[in-house]
Amino acid sequence: MKIAVLGTGGGARSHIAKLAELGHDVVVGTRDPQATLARTEPDMMQNPPYGQWLAEHHPDIPLVTFGEAAADADLVISGIDGHNAVAALTAIAEQLKGKVLVDYACPFIYNPDIEHPWPTPWGVNPILDPCDSDSLGEQIQRALPATKVVKAFVTQEQATVVDPKAIGGGDHTMFVAGQDADAKQAVTDLLKSYGWSDILDLGDIVAARGMEMYAHMHGAIGFALGFGTHFGIKVVR
Amino acid sequence: MKIAVLGTGGGARSHIAKLAELGHDVVVGTRDPQATLARTEPDMMQNPPYGQWLAEHHPDIPLVTFGEAAADADLVISGIDGHNAVAALTAIAEQLKGKVLVDYACPFIYNPDIEHPWPTPWGVNPILDPCDSDSLGEQIQRALPATKVVKAFVTQEQATVVDPKAIGGGDHTMFVAGQDADAKQAVTDLLKSYGWSDILDLGDIVAARGMEMYAHMHGAIGFALGFGTHFGIKVVR
């Protein structure tokens, strides 16, 4: 399948590597390919510069603009950070028309001007915007009515999304939500190829609220288990 | 142990029945005992009137005011709804001094004046207040600095809290959060007596944010599995 990954951060790289391993035709989109390749410093999450990673691991995978990447793809995975996702995706609405778009961003904002009355043990608790009465998944779907948006992946550590069997033999749960049943099936099939066996359809894109808002519990669980302990959650029936 | 349960709704009744079964000395608090006992209609969650339930199942368990119930207790479980909890508990701050107080409320508000742009398949999605940059658990702890507040139970269906083995043989996870280690240990011991084996301490009371905000995902999972399907979540390491 021709799959576009938009973004070059850690989560995007996990998908790029896994999709290439699975034999997909992968194309990567970024805002400004020349600028991305020119970077020589690690990114804000301390990943090595994308150009260096690409040269070392996947020299054959093209890096083009967001719009060019989306234009030819059968399925698009957005790894654009939550703060910029709506604007960046709206700018390429034409290329995303009719396509399945997976959004896995969490709309965290780190605003030092906002009061965080009780900082967490691991620093200041970021806040979510939107939150509770709206979600990033819904915002993207409203901004792109001709695109089939599926919210997924966001409840998991990035490395685990493409390697679920690393934890508990893979016996934990991945969630999907969206308006279009065929789009959710396409993402479910992709997840199965990643190794997922328990994939729960949470229904309408409104379920993105719960998936994004779970981020605080995800952070607290990770802190409780200790840095470096990988985990997932299983819906036990 | 002398345990006070504040509230007479479905969640409170689950605890009352289980605590009595375990041989604890249970006392129940309500705002106005005479008014509670005078009610002949089901409550808003369609539970039968408390007086009828009491007479049929636990005629020996006293029903007194919130303050009277808390005054003599070793441990207090608040089943007061999220909207009224801070005010009702602050009013009995003196009786709660030095005590362990378990808060399991979710601060949902059902306000028809607030816009809910995308109603869920199961109706209007309620919103949480407080949310994200604060939580009900933190509000209660701030209002009662001399009380040891523990947030727990809120991530589970009420019936499952007192009967975890009804699902997956009990192999799912209960969370606790709070400032005081001994208080969390007391609640952990109580949970073990309920049948819980996997109890994860999420740290400081700030983790109540994530526990309360998980409510939307809990609702979506419940809807996805279908009405009447009981479930829990397991942190898979």
Side-chain angles (χ1 to χ4, degrees):
Chain A
M1 209 194 301
K2 186 141 190 162
I3 301 182
V5 178
L6 308 183
T8 58
R13 291 181 204 186
S14 299
H15 288 283
I16 294 163
K18 185 69 180 184
L19 292 166
E21 179 194 319
L22 291 170
H24 292 289
D25 187 1
V26 186
V27 56
V28 179
T30 190
R31 190 178 301 268
D32 180 341
Q34 299 304 342
T36 297
L37 292 174
R39 263 179 226 131
T40 55
E41 300 295 316
D43 70 13
M44 72 176 216
M45 300 303 285
Q46 299 308 313
N47 297 301
Y50 184 74
Q52 179 189 326
W53 181 84
L54 196 67
E56 281 173 16
H57 301 284
H58 301 282
D60 298 336
I61 295 182
L63 183 69
V64 297
T65 64
F66 287 142
E68 288 164 346
D72 293 333
D74 303 309
L75 186 146
V76 180
I77 297 174
S78 172
I80 303 171
D81 69 280
H83 209 56
N84 295 306
V86 172
L89 295 170
T90 305
I92 58 164
E94 197 55 41
Q95 293 93 324
L96 288 169
K97 230 175 218 175
K99 304 252 162 79
V100 176
L101 173 69
V102 187
D103 157 45
Y104 67 82
C106 195
F108 271 137
I109 56 171
Y110 299 85
N111 185 343
D113 295 333
I114 290 172
E115 191 185 358
H116 301 271
W118 287 42
T120 65
W122 59 96
V124 166
N125 221 17
I127 67 164
L128 297 163
D129 180 20
C131 181
D132 198 28
S133 58
D134 199 5
S135 63
L136 181 62
E138 291 164 272
Q139 287 186 334
I140 293 173
Q141 182 62 86
R142 286 199 302 273
L144 303 169
T147 300
K148 300 162 191 164
V149 177
V150 178
K151 190 91 199 185
F153 311 166
V154 65
T155 56
Q156 286 285 340
E157 297 172 286
Q158 294 183 327
T160 320
V161 171
V162 300
D163 188 17
K165 295 193 172 157
I167 297 160
D171 189 24
H172 46 132
T173 309
M174 172 58 80
F175 304 94
V176 296
Q179 310 298 89
D180 188 280
D182 292 341
K184 285 191 281 195
Q185 188 57 55
V187 177
T188 298
D189 291 345
L190 179 69
L191 285 163
K192 284 181 181 167
S193 75
Y194 281 179
W196 288 93
S197 53
D198 185 20
I199 302 158
L200 186 61
D201 180 354
L202 293 182
D204 192 287
I205 191 71
V206 75
R209 292 181 197 179
M211 295 162 77
E212 295 171 10
M213 290 165 74
Y214 166 72
H216 283 302
M217 200 153 88
H218 180 87
I221 293 169
F223 188 79
L225 296 178
F227 184 73
T229 305
H230 299 290
F231 67 96
I233 57 166
K234 166 79 182 173
V235 175
V236 179
R237 289 79 156 172
Chain B
M1 210 195 298
K2 184 138 192 164
I3 301 182
V5 178
L6 308 183
T8 58
R13 292 182 204 185
S14 299
H15 288 283
I16 294 163
K18 186 69 180 182
L19 292 167
E21 179 194 319
L22 292 170
H24 291 290
D25 186 3
V26 187
V27 55
V28 179
T30 189
R31 188 177 305 268
D32 179 342
Q34 299 303 342
T36 297
L37 290 174
R39 265 181 223 129
T40 55
E41 299 296 314
D43 70 13
M44 71 178 216
M45 300 303 284
Q46 298 307 311
N47 297 302
Y50 183 75
Q52 179 190 325
W53 181 83
L54 196 67
E56 281 173 19
H57 301 284
H58 301 283
D60 298 334
I61 295 182
L63 182 69
V64 295
T65 64
F66 287 142
E68 287 164 346
D72 293 332
D74 302 309
L75 187 146
V76 180
I77 297 175
S78 171
I80 303 172
D81 70 279
H83 209 57
N84 296 307
V86 173
L89 294 170
T90 304
I92 58 164
E94 197 55 42
Q95 293 91 326
L96 289 168
K97 231 175 216 174
K99 305 252 162 80
V100 177
L101 173 70
V102 187
D103 157 45
Y104 66 83
C106 195
F108 270 139
I109 56 171
Y110 298 84
N111 183 344
D113 296 333
I114 290 172
E115 190 184 359
H116 300 269
W118 288 42
T120 64
W122 59 96
V124 166
N125 221 16
I127 67 163
L128 295 164
D129 181 20
C131 182
D132 198 29
S133 60
D134 199 4
S135 63
L136 180 62
E138 291 165 271
Q139 286 187 336
I140 293 172
Q141 183 61 86
R142 286 198 303 273
L144 303 169
T147 300
K148 301 162 192 165
V149 178
V150 177
K151 191 93 199 185
F153 312 164
V154 64
T155 56
Q156 286 286 340
E157 298 172 285
Q158 294 183 328
T160 319
V161 171
V162 299
D163 187 19
K165 295 195 170 151
I167 297 161
D171 189 21
H172 47 131
T173 309
M174 173 57 78
F175 304 94
V176 295
Q179 309 298 89
D180 188 280
D182 292 341
K184 286 191 281 195
Q185 189 57 53
V187 177
T188 298
D189 291 344
L190 179 69
L191 285 163
K192 284 180 182 167
S193 76
Y194 282 0
W196 288 92
S197 52
D198 186 19
I199 302 158
L200 186 61
D201 179 355
L202 293 181
D204 192 287
I205 191 71
V206 74
R209 294 182 196 179
M211 294 162 77
E212 295 170 12
M213 290 166 74
Y214 167 73
H216 283 304
M217 200 153 88
H218 180 87
I221 293 169
F223 189 78
L225 296 179
F227 183 75
T229 306
H230 299 290
F231 68 95
I233 57 167
K234 167 78 183 173
V235 175
V236 179
R237 288 83 158 168

